[in-house]
Amino acid sequence: KNQVEQSPQSLIILEGKNCTLQCNYTVSPFSNLRWYKQDTGRGPVSLTIMTFSENTKSNGRYTATLDADTKQSSLHITASQLSDSASYICVVSAGGTSYGKLTFGQGTILTVHP
Amino acid sequence: GAVVSQHPSWVICKSGTSVKIECRSLDFQATTMFWYRQFPKQSLMLMATSNEGSKATYEQGVEKDKFLINHASLTLSTLTVTSAHPEDSSFYICSAPIAGGPGPSYNEQFFGPGTRLTVL
């Protein structure tokens, strides 16, 4: 069964600090992995998308890494801001006959305090 | 990036009534759109795949007669919750993919802002 698991479930940090969110997946065959940011009451917004050949990708203060061998990904947020408070969702897209089908992680709720 | 809109952004209705939610791709065409449901503090759950010009594909456990999907054009998909009940109260989100990037598997998905449905 295709699964995406994220940790921690929630995280509280102070403004200006860095943090790293984790994602483990068992989706097969693998097509690509995405990280989304979802503000409360809003739809998810894409941060990064990586195929198996991409080890790292940055989008401003967000840097995602991917280890396709261990099926792990991380999202590193640098110099956090209050506006970073949101749910961060790891999503894996399947290939093969399940092409394009997305498997969602449960999300990590990040709260940034002043 | 591409824009996907949803209308309405929120709706409150009485039990037993039907509610229609629209999903539009504003600056691109989408032959496929996806409908998700999200309960509080849970992740998105795929309900169905909307296909322009053909029938929608529903995920296991989703009642096709209750959640009617119509993909009438390349920019519009609608989800109608028929005979809504309080347990249908949820956050409904649509998404549309765009092919591109380094290969055909790199299709990006753009999500709408969501529709909050409350059934009294």
Side-chain angles (χ1 to χ4, degrees), chain A residues 31-32 34 36 38 41-44 46 49 51 54 57 89 99-102 104-106, chain B residues 34 36 38 42-44 46 59 91 93 102 104-109 111-114 116:
Chain A
S31 177
N32 57 67
R34 311 127 183 263
Y36 287 91
Q38 184 179 24
R42 305 290 295 174
S46 178
I49 177 171
T51 63
E54 298 174 289
K57 181 159 285 188
I89 307 172
Y99 175 73
K101 190 163 187 176
L102 302 181
F104 288 78
Q106 78 278 20
Chain B
F34 301 94
Y36 299 87
Q38 185 177 32
Q42 294 186 23
S43 193
L44 282 71
L46 179 64
E59 295 300 300
F91 193 52
I93 305 175
S105 65
Y106 213 80
N107 59 315
E108 178 60 272
Q109 293 253 9
F111 289 83
R116 173 74 58 193

Side-chain angles (χ1 to χ4, degrees), chain B residues 22-79:
Chain B
E22 293 185 348
C23 177
R24 292 182 185 272
S25 54
L26 296 185
D27 49 2
F28 66 101
Q29 294 182 332
T31 57
T32 301
M33 291 184 176
F34 301 94
W35 285 97
Y36 299 87
R37 181 165 51 182
Q38 185 177 32
F39 292 105
K41 298 190 178 182
Q42 294 186 23
S43 193
L44 282 71
M45 292 177 54
L46 179 64
M47 297 176 64
T49 302
S50 173
N51 305 298
E52 190 270 335
S54 64
K55 292 183 179 180
T57 305
Y58 290 83
E59 295 300 300
Q60 191 173 7
V62 177
E63 301 174 58
K64 61 179 67 176
D65 294 330
K66 181 171 185 60
F67 298 98
L68 302 179
I69 292 174
N70 183 22
H71 198 139
S73 74
L74 290 173
T75 60
L76 174 63
S77 174
T78 60
L79 168 68

Side-chain angles (χ1 to χ4, degrees), chain A residues 39-51:
Chain A
D39 293 312
T40 301
R42 305 290 295 174
V45 175
S46 178
L47 296 176
T48 63
I49 177 171
M50 294 180 289
T51 63

Side-chain angles (χ1 to χ4, degrees), chain A residues 94-111:
Chain A
T97 56
S98 299
Y99 175 73
K101 190 163 187 176
L102 302 181
T103 301
F104 288 78
Q106 78 278 20
T108 292
I109 299 174
L110 174 65
T111 304

